[in-house]
Amino acid sequence: MQRNSAKQKTYRNLMQQGTKTLTHAGITDTPYLDSLLLLCKASGETREQLLASFPDTASHKTVTEYNQLLQIRETGKPIAYILKHKEFYEHDFYVDERVLIPRPDTELLVETAANLYKHGLPDNSILDICTGSGCIGISLKAEFPDAAVTLGDISAGALEVCRINSQRILGAELPIYQSDLLESIPGPFSLIVSNPPYLTVDECLHPDLLHRGEPVKALQAGSDGLDIIRRLARQGFAKLRKKGYLITECGFDQALLVSEIMSSEGFTIKEILKDLAGCDRVVIGSVK
Ligand code: GLN
């Protein structure tokens, strides 16, 4: 009986059901889009195909799979982890629970690094440290094939994801190091770019964040969220060439503190840039 009613569901019915379920779960601001993406995955259809076939009846297999995906999404697991990819800087990155899901705000780091690269660095050496999925360094290498980009992360799992993305996006592997910040990475570099962990312990206890299931190690940096940036500034200054730059992302209320930390290590603060929401998000320090 249940089987029959499942069989008779149209794609439109499934969309209505999914949107309602996810709205009720209160875990997403985009219940319709999420339902559409999950239905694409369950049915194997593209978005365009699906929109054109709304009145059609979905197969039993699609309905079953869709319901399973909805159940997973209801727990708060991000769409990117369910679909195993995320668009960043016009590239399609593989992601799973071993890495932070790339955020649109982090594209600002790539743009900033790209501008500095175009306007002249001491040489072409770039390091993306705390690289996670590799999204920053790989996007830079894709834009500047002549750049010597190195990637580093403390997590072995992240480096595996990084390797997948290097092959997937660049068709080749970049030099990748497993390293606690810059400790095991040879230098020097002209540009060090990083989206390090910068959330406080308290921020990481927020239920919305916990439900996402992202690696805490990629997010949390002590009671004030600055433990990693302090070490990054110290180690970075020692590993940069003269006239080189450190670009770091930070929390919406941390830019002044980060500037102070970087200045105290010897950097000259070149600029603080705002994210899409107008919050100070990126600090650029230069080595004179
Ligand atoms: N911007 C991320 C967030 O708010 C944090 C990323 C990070 O700690 N590097 O979830």
Side-chain angles (χ1 to χ4, degrees), residues 100 103 195-199 209 212 214 218-220 249 281:
L100 198 72
R103 315 281 202 258
N195 176 18
Y198 55 69
L199 298 185
L209 199 72
R212 293 172 61 84
E214 292 182 297
L219 292 165
Q220 187 178 294
E249 185 171 310
R281 184 63 68 182

Side-chain angles (χ1 to χ4, degrees), residues 19-44:
T19 306
K20 199 167 148 196
T21 303
L22 295 183
T23 304
H24 185 73
I27 43 84
T28 173
D29 296 332
T30 54
Y32 182 86
L33 178 63
D34 290 12
S35 303
L36 190 64
L37 293 172
L38 297 180
L39 195 48
C40 286
K41 179 157 173 82
S43 63

